[in-house]
């Protein structure tokens, strides 16, 4: 980080106190925020507002942080520009709390120009209101109409400037990025992951299994986190978080967003996803880049605006969401992939799990880079928001799961060779893993520990050696690519590099 960072004043010193200025409207109601953006709104057939933004995904290439990137005077000037605008323009200011855990809870303050109050409306429904009058921990100023796109983050000051983008996801991730960064400072690890609690009946009573799912946005992370696993009462599987959480050294997993979820909507089907459909079509939802005609009729199958169409929904209206957002203990971790050379599930050692964490194998989605959607991609931790050494993140992950005794798995939700892994197959696997009812074996083809038998599933049809032509050459090429990828991280322990599968 450049010494120039010392010249930037803290946001508490430079940003206006909303109570002492007439140009900032502080903590307006949702109704008031919606009124400010009425000319940008289409009211849907459900009574909810729908908006179309100019920017429809995050601007990753225009994002820099003062920990990993060499900041120049011009980089800090973007922050100063945001500070000045907050004083000079008519703004709305909203305070919300991210997280509930006593050690992972922060007050967040968002400034946006009044004309773009819809961003505050959507963001405000994700996080919980603040009790009392505490000082903010994190600040974001978003100026959508700035003539240049730039996102600049000063993590140690807790401030983000978002210039030139009107995408709600930039505001959301500005705070979640810092939530994860501060979790790492406390000896834990921020994860781009969903969490769920599975309650099962055993001979000794009710057993609770805590699960964590890592995957890039749009790869099935939210779907699997929310799936009920076809359990019957009194057994149940309940979603706690679907996006970002913090794994703590004691094994608990702190949630972040306590009031809402930011979900993808293209292809949303009432029959296949009834609970999610009900929440998205509730009048309390906020739709972003979802197709709605002049009469308010909504078409969830349309990608006219983008394949990254979104809705902010409230947890209270999603039947699969629990009242709690924190997971008391972590038992199982799943890395979601769609690599056709991988079995539908494999059990990993802590070192292999850390290698999987560092490989972050997935497919690019419209939430990241729409121009590359569908292409293979590797993102450490499947987390585009890491601040600090990525190698150290892998070491920390290995140490945490080993110390906590968490089981780790790689889960292929795509295909093995040309044999599709269906949703029913994945659900059968997850249900069996939760119960501990899978018999495992060593697989010569992949060198991994894979199922020998799974209740309610014929797992034999997914053998990699049978399903993949020239599997030996394919797997060897894959291992070579993986070793080359891991070798890029100087801080990564050798034991993790050597565990590549």
């Amino acid at each position: 980080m450049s010494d120039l960072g010392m010249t930037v004043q803290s946001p508490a010193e430079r940003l206006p106190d909303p109570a002492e200025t007439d140009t900032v409207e502080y903590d307006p109601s949702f109704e008031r925020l919606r009124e400010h953006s009425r000319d940008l709104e289409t009211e849907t057939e459900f009574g909810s507002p729908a908006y179309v933004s100019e920017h429809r995904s995050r601007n990753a290439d225009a994002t820099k942080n003062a920990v990993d990137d060499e900041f120049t005077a011009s980089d800090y000037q973007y922050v100063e520009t945001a500070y000045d605008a907050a004083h000079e323009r008519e703004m709305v200011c909203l305070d919300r709390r991210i997280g509930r855990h006593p050690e992972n809870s922060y007050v967040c303050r968002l400034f946006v120009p009044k004309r773009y109050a819809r961003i505050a409306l959507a963001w405000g429904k994700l996080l919980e209101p603040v009790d009392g009058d505490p000082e903010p921990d994190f600040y974001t100023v978003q100026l959508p109409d700035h003539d240049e796109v730039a996102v600049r983050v000063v993590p140690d000051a807790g401030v983000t400037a978002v210039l030139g983008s009107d995408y709600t996801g930039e505001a959301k991730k500005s705070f979640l990025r810092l939530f994860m960064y501060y979790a790492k400072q406390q000896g834990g690890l921020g994860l781009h992951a969903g969490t769920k609690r599975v309650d099962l009946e055993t001979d000794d009573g009710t057993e609770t299994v805590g699960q964590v799912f890592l995957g890039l946005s749009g790869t099935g992370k939210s779907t699997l986190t929310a799936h009920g696993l076809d359990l019957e009462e009194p057994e149940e599987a309940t979603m706690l978080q679907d996006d970002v959480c913090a794994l703590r050294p004691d094994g608990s997993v702190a949630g972040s967003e306590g009031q809402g979820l930011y979900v993808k909507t293209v292809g949303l089907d009432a029959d296949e996803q009834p609970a999610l459909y009900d929440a998205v079509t509730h009048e309390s939802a906020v739709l972003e880049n979802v197709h709605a005609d002049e009469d308010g009729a909504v078409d969830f199958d349309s990608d006219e605006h983008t394949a990254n169409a979104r809705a902010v929904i409230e947890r209270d209206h999603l039947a699969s969401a629990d009242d709690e957002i924190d997971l008391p203990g972590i038992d199982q971790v799943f890395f979601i992939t769609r690599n056709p050379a991988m079995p539908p599930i494999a059990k990993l050692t802590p070192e292999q799990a850390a290698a999987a964490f560092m490989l972050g194998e997935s497919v690019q989605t419209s939430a990241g880079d729409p121009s590359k959607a569908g292409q293979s991609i590797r993102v450490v931790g499947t987390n585009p928001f890491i601040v600090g050494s990525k190698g150290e993140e892998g070491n920390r992950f290995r140490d945490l799961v080993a110390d906590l005794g968490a089981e780790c798995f790689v889960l292929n939700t795509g295909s093995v060779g040309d044999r599709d892994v269906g949703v029913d197959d994945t659900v059968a696997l997850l249900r069996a893993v939760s119960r501990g009812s899978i018999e495992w074996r060593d697989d010569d083809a992949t060198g991994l520990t894979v199922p020998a038998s799974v209740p309610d599933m014929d797992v034999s049809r997914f053998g990699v050696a049978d399903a993949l032509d020239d599997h030996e050459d394919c797997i060897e090429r894959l291992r070579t690519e993986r070793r080359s990828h891991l070798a890029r991280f100087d801080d990564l322990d050798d034991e993790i590099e050597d565990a590549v599968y």
Side-chain angles (χ1 to χ4, degrees):
M1 178 176 172
S2 168
D3 290 339
L4 288 170
M6 302 301 294
T7 68
V8 174
Q9 289 180 280
S10 73
E13 295 173 336
R14 282 285 279 113
L15 288 170
D17 183 339
E20 298 180 359
T21 176
D22 295 333
T23 59
V24 178
E25 186 174 352
Y26 180 59
D27 271 350
S29 66
F30 289 145
E31 292 78 11
R32 181 73 172 163
L33 290 170
R34 185 173 175 181
E35 187 61 35
H36 286 319
S37 297
R38 189 71 70 178
D39 61 329
L40 303 175
E41 171 192 322
T42 296
E43 182 170 324
T44 72
E45 59 190 295
F46 317 117
S48 58
Y51 305 99
V52 177
S53 61
E54 179 181 354
H55 291 252
R56 295 164 193 179
S57 63
R58 298 183 306 273
N59 289 279
D61 292 343
T63 301
K64 295 172 67 175
N65 75 74
V67 172
D68 300 308
D69 302 299
E70 186 64 30
F71 264 35
T72 66
S74 62
D75 291 308
Y76 287 108
Q77 186 56 50
Y78 289 121
V79 181
E80 294 293 340
T81 297
Y83 285 164
D84 291 340
H87 284 277
E88 298 166 358
R89 301 184 57 179
E90 286 195 337
M91 310 288 281
V92 294
C93 173
L94 207 59
D95 285 351
R96 285 294 184 268
R97 182 173 295 281
I98 189 170
R100 295 179 189 167
H101 192 284
E103 301 298 325
N104 298 92
S105 178
Y106 307 93
V107 175
C108 306
R109 176 166 288 179
L110 174 68
F111 289 88
V112 296
K114 189 172 292 186
R115 173 170 173 76
Y116 295 92
R118 63 168 180 80
I119 297 173
L121 169 66
W123 175 79
K125 286 176 175 277
L126 294 170
L127 304 180
E128 295 174 299
V130 175
D131 294 328
D133 190 27
E135 288 296 315
D137 300 291
F138 304 149
Y139 299 79
T140 293
V141 181
Q142 185 163 356
L143 305 176
D145 50 2
H146 191 72
D147 57 6
E148 183 182 0
V149 177
V151 180
R152 295 296 182 267
V153 190
V154 187
D156 293 324
V159 64
T160 304
V162 179
L163 309 184
S165 172
D166 62 342
Y167 180 54
T168 299
E170 294 283 15
K172 168 185 160 75
K173 290 301 184 183
S174 70
F175 295 106
L176 292 175
R177 181 188 291 111
L178 295 178
F179 174 85
M180 290 189 283
Y181 176 70
Y182 279 67
K184 186 163 56 174
Q185 310 312 303
Q186 298 172 349
L189 195 63
L191 298 175
H192 183 223
T195 58
K196 74 190 301 179
R197 186 186 64 240
V198 183
D199 296 318
L200 302 170
E201 290 295 301
T202 71
D203 293 339
D204 298 323
T206 301
E207 176 186 358
T208 297
V209 180
Q211 297 181 333
V212 175
F213 294 83
L214 285 83
L216 285 178
S217 298
T219 60
K221 170 171 55 69
S222 297
T223 299
L224 294 179
T225 304
H227 201 289
L229 303 184
D230 297 335
L231 298 175
E232 297 182 0
E233 292 185 354
E235 296 186 327
E236 64 177 352
T238 310
M239 184 203 73
L240 303 180
Q241 289 284 275
D242 87 321
D243 193 17
V244 165
C245 55
L247 175 57
R248 295 180 47 77
D250 64 1
S252 61
V253 186
S256 57
E257 295 171 300
Q259 186 158 292
L261 301 94
Y262 192 50
V263 300
K264 295 191 73 172
T265 61
V266 169
L268 181 63
D269 185 274
D271 295 326
E272 294 184 3
Q273 301 164 287
L276 186 60
Y277 184 88
D278 288 346
V280 171
T281 56
H282 192 272
E283 63 181 357
S284 63
V286 178
L287 276 56
E288 184 177 51
N289 300 319
V290 178
H291 178 71
D293 65 22
E294 293 182 358
D295 296 327
V298 174
D299 181 1
F300 291 119
D301 291 325
S302 172
D303 60 357
E304 175 183 345
H305 301 304
T306 174
N308 191 36
R310 296 274 183 166
V312 172
I313 60 174
E314 295 185 9
R315 293 174 64 93
D316 287 347
H317 301 297
L318 182 63
S320 59
D322 196 73
D323 292 336
E324 299 296 326
I325 66 171
D326 295 340
L327 185 65
I330 185 173
D331 297 296
Q332 297 172 340
V333 180
F334 300 90
F335 296 94
I336 303 171
T337 186
R338 290 179 181 170
N339 191 321
M342 294 298 293
I345 193 169
K347 191 173 184 179
L348 308 175
T349 67
E351 289 74 24
Q352 287 175 325
F357 179 91
M358 294 301 299
L359 291 168
E361 293 179 341
S362 191
V363 293
Q364 182 64 272
T365 73
S366 52
D369 185 344
S371 67
K372 299 179 181 178
Q375 297 180 18
S376 296
I377 186 174
R378 288 192 173 111
V379 179
V380 174
T382 61
N383 181 4
F385 314 103
I386 290 175
V387 176
S389 166
K390 293 180 173 62
E392 290 179 1
E393 293 250 338
N395 299 337
R396 177 75 58 85
F397 180 83
R398 185 270 319 277
D399 293 343
L400 286 169
V401 297
D403 291 345
L404 298 169
E407 294 183 306
C408 297
F409 308 87
V410 60
L411 191 68
N412 181 1
T413 59
S415 65
V416 181
D418 59 357
R419 303 174 188 183
D420 289 339
V421 182
V423 174
D424 290 343
D425 297 315
T426 301
V427 169
L429 290 167
L430 290 175
R431 189 169 56 242
V433 167
S434 301
R435 296 190 189 281
S437 59
I438 293 180
E439 293 185 11
W440 299 93
R441 66 176 180 85
D442 294 332
D443 181 35
D444 292 336
T446 61
L448 292 168
T449 301
V450 303
S453 65
V454 179
D456 306 318
M457 179 182 177
D458 177 15
V459 74
S460 65
R461 60 194 173 97
F462 292 114
V464 172
D466 296 330
L468 196 65
D469 293 337
D470 300 324
H471 73 276
E472 291 179 343
D473 290 341
C474 180
I475 291 173
E476 187 53 41
R477 285 196 302 271
L478 186 59
R479 286 177 180 150
T480 300
E481 292 173 3
R482 287 168 169 168
R483 291 189 187 101
S484 176
H485 177 78
L486 294 185
R488 298 167 46 200
F489 304 102
D490 294 336
D491 295 333
L492 188 66
D493 286 351
D494 291 342
E495 292 83 1
I496 296 173
E497 285 194 49
D498 294 341
V500 70
Y501 47 87

